Structure formats: C-alpha cells, structure tokens
Amino acid sequence: MPQLQAFNLCYQHGNGDVVFNDLSFSLTAKVTALVGRNGCGKSILASLLAKQKEPSSGTVVCNSTLGFYKQMNDVNQADNQTIVEAIGLEPVFKSLDAINQGQVTEQSLTLLEGNWDLPERFNAELVRLGVNNKTPYSLSKHLSGGQLSQLKLWVLFTCIKPDILILDEPSNHLDAKGKIWLIKQIHNFKGQLLLISHDQELLEQAHEVWELTTLGLTQYGMHFSEYLAQKQQQVAALENKLNHVIKQHSKLKAAEQLQKQKTQKRAGQGAALRKSGSQPKVLMDAKKDKASANLSSQSKNNAKREGELTRNKQQLSSQLEQTKAQQFYLVQSDTAKHHKVLSLENVALAHGTKKPLNFKVFSDDKIHLAGANGTGKSTLLKTLIFDIPVIAGQLHCNQALYYLDQHFTLINNELTLLENVMTYCKNLDESTTRTLLASIGFRKDAVFKYAALLSGGEKMKLAMCIVSNIESTAFLLLDEPDNHLDLESKQLLAQSLQGFKGGFILVSHDKYFVESIGCNKQIGL
C-alpha cells in the first residue's frame, strides 16, 4: 500500500483564485520529480502533503514519517538567528547542554536518542563546508545561502532520516560540489523522495516524472530525458492539430463567401425575371421561398460547424499554451557603447575571499562571477552598489548599476504586478507595461494580482522585467537569477541575456545555464 496518498485535493487563495482542483495520486516510485511552470502550485502542493497548509478541500493520507525541505527564498530570515535555530536542531543541542550540566529529563533523553555524537558530526559538517571558527550558536547570517541550505539538508538526510522526503528546490544556492553531495545523498536515501526542481542535473536522478499544469497533474512513468522527448512530440502533435483546424476554418469561411456570392447572383437573376414578367408570380415566389429555406438551413449548418471549429481551436490553443515555451523579453538599447563601468584597485571584501581584487568592467561585458559557496560572490555584488563598504582599496563606478538579488527585495509585496513595474519604470506607459507582463506569462487581469501571491519563480521573472526595463543603458548585477525559474523560463532567460546589448555580472551555479548564455569573461573568487 502506498505510504503517501492524496484524494481530490483543491487549493484556492483567499481572493478566490483556484491554484489546482481535484488532484488525486499515490507516491510509488523511489524518486519522483514534480515539475511545472512557475506559479502552477508545486510548492503549495508540497506544503499540503507535508501538512504545513490545509487544502480547501480533499485529504492527504501519510502512513510514514515525513521530512520536508522548504524552498529557501530568504536565506537569512532573522539577523539574530543562530545556526542551530535555522536548521531546527536547537532543542537537541539544548538537551545535550542540560544533560552535561546534570539536568537529566525523560524528554532530553528521548531527543538525544541516536544523536549523542551530534556535536562531533555537526563540527565535521562545518569543516566539510569550509566554515571555520563557528559554533552551533554562531549567527546563521554569517553563512552563505549554499552553506545554510546544505546544513538543512544534512539534518534531514543524516539526523531525522524520515521514510518519505519532500525536497522543494533543494539545489538552489548550491555550488558544483554541493550539488554532487546532494545527488549522493539522494542515491543513498533508503526511503521515498518527492523532488521539486528546475535543475536538469538533479531531475535526471528521478525514476518517474509528474507534471503539474492548470489542466491538472499528469504522471509520466519514465525518466526525465524520456519525458522531455515525449513533451516535444506532444507540442508537435498539438501544433499539427491546431494548423489543421485553422485550415478547416479558412476553408469554411471561403465556402461561405462563395455561397454568398452565388446567392446574390441568383437573387439578381430572379429580380430581373420578376421584372420582365416572363414567369408567373406564384412560381417566382415559390422559388424565392425555397431558396430562402435552403440558405437558412445552410447558414445554420455553417454556424454550427464554425462553432465546433472555434471551440476546437480554443481548446487546442489552451493545451499548446500549457505545453509550449513562454517568451521572455529584456529591453534592448539601440546602441551598445563600450565604456568603463567599474574599476577595483586592491579591494578587500568584508566577507569571503581575503585576496585583494583588481579588475575593470566595461559596459558590454558579460561576466560570469564564479566561486564556491562562501567565497563572497553576493558580498562583491553588494559592495559594487555600496551596500557593503570595502575593507580596503578603491572602488570607482561610472554608471547606474541595478542589483537583482535572489530574495526579491526589489519587489513590493503590497503592490500589484502592474504597479511594481510602473513604479520603477517611469518611462513605460500602461499599455507597454501590460505587453511586457504578458510576455512573461501575466495576461489580462493577472497584472492586477498582488506580488505577495506570486511564487518564487514568478517573482524572479517580475524582478527581471523591472531591472531590465528601468533604462536602456542599465548594467545588471544578477545574483543567481535562475534559482527559482522553471526549465523553459531558464532557457528563455539565457537566450535573452545572450542577445542583451547591455552588460551584466552573473552569479550562477548552473553550468547548463551559464554555457547557454555565452559569457565573454569569467571572474573567479
């Protein structure tokens, strides 16, 4: 019997918007990948299965212990939060401290069962992550996003060890080594695993793929590469069907026009005969009534056929909209001028690498900023916009820089999508703004949705739309912009950045994404 099942699940927001409806399924494979576009409800579904949210209707049945790794949108949620608080081990460490001080309780002994060597294992994990001079009670804000996310995953895999694990975007923030470590943990995990991810390397580890769309949940009993091939076949089949319906519609319209011309010609001939008086009026009236009846019957049949074709066209277009890739536009300046934007002379960063930095950046540079977790990539970007002061050296900036962080701090959650873009992009009118939002999937009344209701990927797309349209000469600082994007949005963003006439500095750990952009320089920390 399956250990995790869902029956007729429905979830809708407080404003009445339905996220998904009537989902029923059982988790049966060892590793199942859950994929789908940003905003389709994957994280909400994960929260329902983990009993962290209540469905609007339907039930979830879990007959085993379940662990849940929640997607990290903001790695440093509280400035005064300790590492053990952030990773959920504070009660265990406090129990151990209490026992060491002679305060033994039954609750403490229960918590410490199987975890007596936790401090040693925890310290070994810090060493593996390259974290020096830290204790369990050090502040979590001094860890990089990748280091903190690996510690949270380490707790689930090695301390809690549930029967079922739900991982929501676990590879976000991880560097190459971190991803290799995570894949090893997935292989060694004894239980069942539901993996929500847009990371192709990670998705290849799944034995089965589930896809969530507005049409429902489709289960593909195959590996990810086979799923991708089948999706391409589906797109081709849908496009052929749609083209066939469009041709039929055109033929019907042409036949209607021809029939209209024939009817008008016969009516003209009848009027001429009536006027000449060569045939009896009774016969002429009978012919006219018969022609009118035939025309009425033919018009009804044509209207019925046209209605069927229109419905088929709308249905196929809707299916194709869910299956085919979206678009992603970045503003393009008319001319790409080559001039110096930044220069760093013996700059020492507040966090990360201790090596002084010396380099120059020009307006048309497309730079990949590489380095392992904790080397100071985000610190460098924040230093370039003077959010974090330099410890030593000289930093010169000759152009406006726009920083897009991985926590969406640019976006005002209390404003609608339309208001967010127009607040920053003063040069855009409402019509142009709506066109831009439609290009990233927010059509018609969706532009009036409040930003607080957006998924992580949707917020990233909105933030990209804002920073790339503030002005045509923008130089972008992109801190892992691909972290929360779905697969097709990732590909389209890569294409847009490849054709972007302005410059940028990009932080990303996704080798497929970086390679597809074609950066012309790399800075390694």
Side-chain angles (χ1 to χ4, degrees), residues 11-19 44 53-54 56 450 452-453:
Y11 188 85
Q12 64 183 83
H13 291 299
N15 63 359
D17 289 347
V18 176
V19 181
I44 290 173
K53 281 184 186 289
E54 287 294 323
S56 302
Y450 283 95
L453 297 176

Side-chain angles (χ1 to χ4, degrees), residues 183-201:
I183 290 171
K184 184 180 178 182
Q185 298 303 314
I186 290 172
H187 283 168
N188 293 338
F189 185 60
K190 303 299 182 188
Q192 286 182 291
L193 200 145
L194 179 62
L195 173 66
I196 302 171
S197 181
H198 300 305
D199 189 313
Q200 194 167 337
E201 198 174 350

